[in-house]
Amino acid sequence: MPAAAVHYALLHFEKASTPMMIHASSKLSAALSGRRPPWRWLAVTLLMVLFFPTVLWLPWQAQRLESNERQEQLIADTLWVEQTIRFQLGRDEESISLLATEVASGQPGLKKFRERLLPVLRNSRELLRIDWLGPQGKLIYASNDIALPELGDSDTNLSSTAANNKIARYFLLPGRPGGTSSLLLYELPVFKGADYIGTLRASYSLSLLLEEMVPWWFAQDNEISIVDADDTLLTRRSAGGSGRGIYTHRRPLELPGVTLSLRTNSIKSAPKLLPNLLVGSVVLLSLGLLWSLWALWRDINRRIAAEVALRQQISFRTAMENSLLTGLRARDLTGRVTYVNPAFCQMVGIPAEQLVGMAPPMPYWAPEVMDAYQQRLSQVLQGKVAPQHETVFQRANGERFPVLIFESPLVDASGKQTGWMGSLLDISDRRRVEDLNRQQQEKLQASARLATMGEMASTLAHELNQPLAAISSYTTGALNLLEGEPDKIDTAMLKQALEKASAQAQRAGQIIRSVHTFVKKREPMRELVSLKTLIESVAPLIEMQARPFFVSMILNIRADLPPVLADRVLLEQVVLNLTRNAVEAMRDAASEKRMLRIVVRLDADTLPPQVIVEIIDRGHGIPDEVSERLFSPFFSTKAEGMGMGLNICRSAIEFHGGLLTHRHNPQGGTVFQFSLPASETA
Ligand code: ADP
């Protein structure tokens, strides 16, 4: 995986996680992988199964309870009414019995009789009248003049029976339909010694009895009636309306001689289910519970899905961390190490347990570059981080190795920076390969230079031949001069001949030296180079190449060019290669076309400005299929060509941060162009 791709992956990795999170990832993954007990859902289902019948049973039970309560209340109230009636009748019996004693001790007379009974009648409104009957049942006194239904024979008989039995008892006088209301008679036979002297008779209106004895609040809620032993209705009170027959009660009202029953019938209907507050709240709560259960279930499902995704991601990341060859190191904002991956530990030869939690200076810092580390760390902690830099680390055994470090901020889920994440590449191997490559390249360039010289050998021989021949003829001339009369030797001419010979020898030496400098193997060396001077200095060599092919050369060099920072010899080699190719391309061209033009200009529109060199020929040009492979090593269309020239030229230009291109010459032939950044120090 390329370093940039790893770095990108790591950046994304960091965004979603903090170092602590990564650290805890193995624990979390273990916790997450724990299987949930299968009875968890069983328990929930069981609870639901129990819950719903309970919810349905509760309102029903509540209704039943209320119903029972109403019934019990009715029974208690009816009992209370019965007790009240019984108590009132008992009090009246006592008053009548007291009167009986008075009557037995002496006849009181009508006036006194009435006066005596006035308070009794006033206190008991249900008591209509009290009569004093003679021994034959004849009315002697009446407490008031309220008309009563005539007592029939059977009633008289009853009175006499009472007298015969000598006991007090009640009689019932049922009312007639549409006529009088039912009466209850109480008769107390009065004896003077053993002699029966008459009967005291109290007449009660049953309807008044209900009205007086039954409290209004009870009458409001209930229909209350008095029935006889045959269940015949004697009287009824229903102030609040007729009873509904849902809550009813029957209470016997046993009186001496008469059996009556008190019947109550509530006007209340059965408790309704929905208006019941309890039911309402239970239903509401159940719905709320159902909703929360559903929401909980949904939430749990979401969480489970998130957990699964998280688990997958954690396994994926753990695998990724462990398989990475790139070292990973996370540091908090104070520079303390919070995480390292296995590759990092392997790289520095220190276990993770020892590294995590460690603060600077780190054991993998090489002492000789300690200052640089400290400086970089303080820059990183200030947030001034260079995205990538190279440095040297030391392994546990003291071995140094070069590393390439990519540093980027570590951001937690809330977007807050928690530290820095660094990915580190051990570039020892890369360095070795680069060194090897460079050496190879240098060797190749040297060989290429030798090859160029080899190709130029005959031209060189020819070129050296000229000064040598000149030296030879000058020295011959000088010798000839010396062979004459010693006095007549023309010293001025001799001096001139020797000077010319010396100049030719220097020229030959110059040619040899330039060949030597060009060919000798050397390390690249950058210096400020003026391309004008450079091209002018190789111009003689170019001419040497051009002459055998009858190619003329035109230089078109701008005077005020800025220098470039370059290796002079490499550039000379490029120019010589390109011009040689250009000359060779014009080998078969018409004589008027054999023109090599070298243009050097400045492109000031770019930053930095570029010095442009164009080698323009009017040769056979480059077909498209050749154009595609032009820069491939060992590609040549020439029988004797090595095919390395353009490849070396391009490497050399790119080594200087420039660009080598070619295009068709509109006038026929090819234009090779290279650009080099102008030096800022110019
Ligand atoms: P060589 O010159 O040894 O063949 P080069 O790498 O210098 O190797 O050139 C590769 C090929 O590119 C040449 O064989 C030639 O076909 C083509 N070429 C290079 N320069 C020119 C040019 N100026 N005009 C036409 N063809 C060229």
Side-chain angles (χ1 to χ4, degrees):
M1 193 189 282
V6 172
H7 190 59
Y8 176 81
L10 288 173
L11 268 181
H12 280 254
F13 177 70
E14 286 154 27
K15 286 217 171 93
S17 53
T18 65
M20 290 310 156
M21 188 179 151
I22 306 167
H23 204 49
S25 66
S26 51
K27 277 187 194 170
L28 182 62
S29 138
L32 288 178
S33 61
R35 290 194 59 76
R36 281 165 203 83
W39 47 263
R40 204 180 63 148
W41 286 115
L42 194 74
V44 172
T45 320
L46 209 70
L47 281 176
M48 293 282 282
V49 165
L50 286 176
F51 174 77
F52 282 105
T54 313
V55 161
L56 292 178
W57 174 78
L58 260 180
W60 174 79
Q61 179 64 10
Q63 190 193 16
R64 230 173 55 113
L65 276 178
E66 191 179 338
S67 180
N68 282 352
E69 200 180 316
R70 283 187 187 178
Q71 182 66 35
E72 276 166 18
Q73 186 64 44
L74 183 75
I75 292 171
D77 289 345
T78 311
L79 184 67
W80 186 83
V81 170
E82 186 249 336
Q83 292 295 324
T84 310
I85 292 174
R86 203 180 278 283
F87 176 74
Q88 185 61 30
L89 291 179
R91 255 179 38 178
D92 290 347
E93 280 174 23
E94 266 175 37
S95 305
I96 293 167
S97 141
L98 219 65
L99 184 67
T101 322
E102 284 170 28
V103 171
S105 57
Q107 295 284 337
L110 177 63
K111 198 169 171 246
K112 208 163 174 215
F113 184 76
R114 286 191 171 183
E115 273 171 16
R116 170 71 180 80
L117 284 178
L118 208 59
V120 179
L121 290 174
R122 203 180 293 135
N123 285 340
S124 311
R125 281 194 49 231
E126 69 284 355
L127 196 57
L128 294 179
R129 216 174 79 174
I130 297 175
D131 299 328
W132 168 239
L133 305 172
Q136 277 77 42
K138 219 169 134 44
L139 177 70
I140 301 173
Y141 307 137
S143 62
N144 47 39
D145 299 328
I146 292 173
L148 291 175
E150 287 282 322
L151 294 172
D153 288 346
S154 57
D155 305 322
T156 318
N157 288 344
L158 284 173
S159 293
S160 55
T161 315
N164 292 341
N165 288 341
K166 294 188 181 177
I167 52 160
R169 57 170 294 179
Y170 285 88
F171 298 94
L172 191 62
L173 197 60
R176 290 177 196 95
T180 55
S181 71
S182 303
L183 294 181
L184 179 71
L185 306 181
Y186 173 68
E187 291 194 352
L188 175 71
V190 183
F191 294 89
K192 192 169 185 174
D195 298 334
Y196 169 66
I197 56 166
T199 298
L200 273 172
R201 182 169 68 192
S203 308
Y204 291 95
S205 158
L206 281 180
S207 62
L208 274 178
L209 192 75
L210 283 188
E211 237 154 79
E212 291 301 314
M213 295 296 112
V214 177
W216 66 267
W217 50 266
F218 186 72
Q220 204 64 33
D221 283 351
N222 301 283
E223 177 192 310
I224 179 156
S225 36
I226 296 174
V227 293
D228 65 8
D230 306 329
D231 229 10
T232 312
L233 178 71
L234 298 173
T235 184
R236 170 195 290 147
R237 183 177 173 193
S238 53
S242 323
R244 289 183 190 245
I246 293 166
Y247 306 109
T248 55
H249 186 60
R250 189 189 175 103
R251 180 97 206 148
L253 183 65
E254 303 265 356
L255 298 170
V258 170
T259 298
L260 295 175
S261 282
L262 207 56
R263 209 167 63 183
T264 43
N265 184 355
S266 172
I267 62 163
K268 283 183 186 165
S269 56
K272 280 182 191 140
L273 210 63
L274 269 179
N276 189 316
L277 192 66
L278 181 68
V279 175
S281 46
V282 164
V283 167
L284 214 67
L285 285 175
S286 310
L287 286 177
L289 191 72
L290 262 185
W291 182 85
S292 10
L293 271 178
W294 175 77
L296 196 68
W297 178 80
R298 201 182 49 171
D299 192 46
I300 287 176
N301 272 354
R302 276 193 197 150
R303 270 164 194 270
I304 288 175
E307 274 180 19
V308 170
L310 186 63
R311 209 159 39 228
Q312 276 176 357
Q313 218 176 8
I314 286 174
S315 335
F316 172 76
R317 284 179 185 180
T318 314
M320 192 176 82
E321 280 169 55
N322 295 340
S323 67
L324 269 185
L325 290 176
T326 312
L328 295 180
R329 172 199 61 186
R331 291 183 289 182
D332 65 14
L333 291 173
T334 63
R336 189 178 295 277
V337 173
T338 52
Y339 166 78
V340 282
N341 76 336
F344 184 85
C345 299
Q346 211 173 354
M347 218 179 266
V348 295
I350 305 170
E353 305 79 62
Q354 199 177 326
L355 285 172
V356 171
M358 199 170 252
M362 297 302 174
Y364 48 80
W365 285 3
E368 64 274 14
V369 265
M370 199 61 87
D371 288 348
Y373 294 137
Q374 290 285 15
Q375 203 178 343
R376 187 149 19 243
L377 178 71
S378 63
Q379 276 177 356
V380 166
L381 298 184
Q382 283 165 26
K384 290 184 220 149
V385 58
Q388 102 180 51
H389 65 270
E390 278 184 37
T391 186
V392 177
F393 277 1
Q394 76 171 357
R395 300 191 209 278
N397 60 8
E399 184 194 336
R400 310 290 199 264
F401 65 100
V403 278
L404 180 62
I405 304 179
F406 298 89
E407 207 88 50
S408 56
L410 196 59
V411 177
D412 70 5
S414 61
K416 208 176 115 227
Q417 188 182 345
T418 57
W420 296 92
M421 171 61 89
S423 54
L424 299 93
L425 287 176
D426 181 346
I427 52 171
S428 322
D429 290 343
R430 203 165 93 181
R431 275 282 167 80
R432 264 195 292 280
V433 171
E434 274 173 13
D435 285 350
L436 210 64
N437 263 349
R438 204 176 53 246
Q439 285 164 12
Q440 296 285 359
Q441 193 74 19
E442 279 166 15
K443 274 188 193 154
L444 202 62
Q445 282 168 1
S447 317
R449 283 196 293 273
L450 277 176
T452 312
M453 277 301 121
E455 284 163 16
M456 287 170 70
S458 61
T459 325
L460 201 64
H462 172 73
E463 202 67 11
L464 281 175
N465 213 22
Q466 278 183 358
L468 288 177
I471 292 168
S472 168
S473 57
Y474 285 132
T475 45
T476 313
L479 280 174
N480 287 342
L481 281 175
L482 286 172
E483 277 171 8
E485 293 273 322
D487 304 342
K488 290 183 185 166
I489 293 172
D490 185 349
T491 48
M493 196 179 255
L494 185 64
K495 191 179 171 217
Q496 201 183 3
L498 286 176
E499 276 174 356
K500 285 198 173 166
S502 160
Q504 287 302 323
Q506 271 177 17
R507 191 182 150 207
Q510 183 73 42
I511 291 172
I512 302 287
R513 248 196 319 282
S514 71
V515 169
H516 177 71
T517 7
F518 182 70
V519 169
K520 89 171 171 201
K521 185 177 176 301
R522 49 188 281 289
E523 291 289 317
M525 193 179 70
R526 291 203 188 198
E527 58 189 319
L528 284 179
V529 176
S530 154
L531 276 167
K532 185 175 182 336
T533 325
L534 184 137
I535 287 174
E536 280 169 355
S537 72
V538 290
L541 290 175
I542 300 170
E543 270 173 350
M544 255 166 58
Q545 290 172 331
R547 211 169 294 136
F549 300 100
F550 307 105
V551 172
S552 55
M553 183 177 73
I554 301 171
L555 293 184
N556 195 346
I557 305 176
R558 205 176 133 162
D560 55 344
L561 281 173
V564 293
L565 193 63
D567 184 288
R568 174 184 295 277
V569 179
L570 272 184
L571 287 191
E572 282 175 357
Q573 191 179 350
V574 170
V575 174
L576 277 179
N577 263 331
L578 295 178
T579 50
R580 193 201 64 208
N581 278 346
V583 169
E584 282 176 357
M586 290 187 283
R587 181 195 289 252
D588 301 322
S591 54
E592 72 275 9
K593 285 189 174 178
R594 295 188 185 200
M595 178 102 66
L596 169 67
R597 222 149 56 85
I598 301 178
V599 177
V600 186
R601 58 188 172 85
L602 182 72
D603 182 359
D605 293 342
T606 55
L607 203 79
Q610 304 280 321
V611 179
I612 310 244
V613 179
E614 287 168 325
I615 317 284
I616 306 163
D617 69 63
R618 296 181 65 188
H620 52 66
I622 301 175
D624 286 348
E625 64 275 15
V626 174
S627 167
E628 283 166 17
R629 306 172 56 200
L630 212 55
F631 295 97
S632 315
F634 305 111
F635 171 75
S636 174
T637 57
K638 300 167 196 166
E640 72 291 3
M642 203 163 89
M644 282 305 294
L646 287 181
N647 181 272
I648 290 173
C649 287
R650 191 161 72 170
S651 313
I653 295 299
E654 285 175 358
F655 170 75
H656 288 96
L659 210 63
L660 173 65
T661 56
H662 69 95
R663 58 177 188 272
H664 287 295
N665 181 0
Q667 294 168 326
T670 314
V671 179
F672 271 87
Q673 162 182 328
F674 67 84
S675 59
L676 291 169
S679 170
E680 291 163 8
T681 53

